[in-house]
Amino acid sequence: MDKIDATLLSILKENARTPVKAMTNRVFLSAPAISARIEKLERQGVIKGYHAAIDNIKLGYHITAFISLNALPSVEPEFYEFISACPNVIECNCVTGDFSMLIKVAFPSAMELNTFVNQLQRFGATSTQFVFSTPVEHRSLGVCPEEEAARSK
């Protein structure tokens, strides 16, 4: 990856709908050359997809929570199948520490969250934290670690 690729990624991070023609002024390449570079980044898996940032609250999901789960090893295959099929699960991570899973969810009400937590408890012990606010929304990291380190100083 060179500086042009890094610039293209920065542009797409800011607004994935930026027209290729508008990118030509920033990287001084033709539109076909930019399209070819973006396609290469997609094939390499650097660009995993394009997503709209959705406001869950405006869609009626007023409760966001993190659920820690200590999944029993014997039920992990069943758990992975279950959790993959749950539409309210935003993210599920295997983690270290007292719990083995950290699950981010969104629900319209605390009652629906409670029902979900009760379903999860067949896989192991849980601990739930409600989100009051989110001072830093989901964001992608910089194109290279050195760039991020320089910004944080």
Side-chain angles (χ1 to χ4, degrees), residues 12-133:
L12 292 171
K13 265 181 34 178
E14 183 68 30
N15 181 359
R17 295 184 65 177
T18 301
V20 171
K21 188 168 181 132
M23 294 181 202
T24 60
N25 297 331
R26 299 261 312 264
V27 296
F28 307 107
L29 289 177
S30 68
I34 291 171
S35 294
R37 282 178 174 260
I38 291 171
E39 288 173 18
K40 179 180 159 204
L41 291 167
E42 291 169 347
R43 279 193 313 277
Q44 292 174 334
V46 175
I47 297 175
K48 294 170 54 174
Y50 300 90
H51 311 279
I54 306 292
D55 186 330
N56 289 337
I57 291 173
K58 289 187 179 177
L59 293 178
Y61 296 94
H62 299 283
I63 305 292
T64 300
F66 288 92
I67 304 166
S68 298
L69 169 70
N70 194 6
L72 304 168
S74 61
V75 299
E76 280 185 2
E78 182 187 350
F79 167 74
Y80 291 139
E81 188 176 326
F82 169 82
I83 206 72
S84 296
C86 295
N88 295 79
V89 172
I90 297 169
E91 192 172 312
C92 179
N93 300 281
C94 285
V95 296
T96 61
D98 294 335
F99 292 89
S100 58
M101 300 289 167
L102 182 62
I103 307 161
K104 184 178 181 182
V105 298
F107 284 92
S109 69
M111 187 170 18
E112 290 170 272
L113 171 61
N114 185 55
T115 299
F116 179 73
V117 170
N118 289 339
Q119 293 171 345
L120 274 181
Q121 290 176 340
R122 75 176 192 237
F123 300 108
T126 63
S127 175
T128 303
Q129 296 82 39
F130 283 79
V131 173
F132 289 136
S133 66

Side-chain angles (χ1 to χ4, degrees), residues 125-147:
T126 63
S127 175
T128 303
Q129 296 82 39
F130 283 79
V131 173
F132 289 136
S133 66
T134 305
V136 178
E137 290 282 336
H138 174 80
R139 62 180 174 199
S140 296
L141 297 176
V143 176
C144 63
E146 298 84 24
E147 178 186 317

